[in-house]
Amino acid sequence: MTSLRRLCHPVFLGTSVGALLLAATGCSSTDAAVSITVPTPSPQAAAYCRALHKELPRTVAGLDRGDARPKSELTAEWGDGEIVLRCGVPRPAKMDDPMAKGTEANGVNWLLEQSDGAGPRFTTTYRKAYVEVTLSAAYAHDASPLAAFGPPVRRTVPGL
């Protein structure tokens, strides 16, 4: 508590040192928005994505939903970018590969794309809009966060 009081009264530290401490404290916020590329889907897919956006959970895998930038109903993130969702993405070329890997989570089928050094990327299959979920490298071998997206995707993005 004592150190907090000292920060509140920078006159004891000297004007320049106090200003420096206050500036550093203000710049170290963890509330920074994550920058995400917003997809440009068809009007029909965008309508499904807007409906999905309203249904997305507040927490996924214990991570709180954050503020992605630019603000869009086509994107969302949890845990400062640990989990990123984009709706209305183009159909991945990997879907044409008969050897492509996939998984099912809570009633939704997902295509898996793995890259070196980064976490996995999953894209829904058999839906009228493609929903992409990218997980950080911490989830390299863990697709369990996908389960949180199954119910809202099933409710809002119709199957083919």
Side-chain angles (χ1 to χ4, degrees), residues 6-73:
R6 285 183 189 151
L7 288 177
C8 291
H9 301 290
V11 284
F12 296 117
L13 300 173
T15 308
S16 60
V17 173
L20 180 62
L21 284 174
L22 288 175
T25 303
C27 293
S28 65
S29 173
T30 58
D31 295 334
V34 174
S35 180
I36 300 172
T37 302
V38 178
T40 53
S42 70
Q44 182 184 26
Y48 298 134
C49 293
R50 284 191 298 276
L52 173 63
H53 189 79
K54 294 175 187 172
E55 298 283 327
L56 291 172
R58 290 204 178 279
T59 61
V60 175
L63 302 172
D64 291 329
R65 190 164 170 184
D67 295 318
R69 294 284 182 247
K71 192 169 179 79
S72 171
E73 291 181 320

Side-chain angles (χ1 to χ4, degrees), residues 4 10 26 36 56 65 76 80 91 94 97 103 118 122 126 140 146:
L4 180 60
I36 300 172
L56 291 172
R65 190 164 170 184
D80 294 330
R91 181 181 188 275
K94 187 83 171 168
D97 181 355
T103 190
F122 296 91
Y126 308 115
L146 291 179

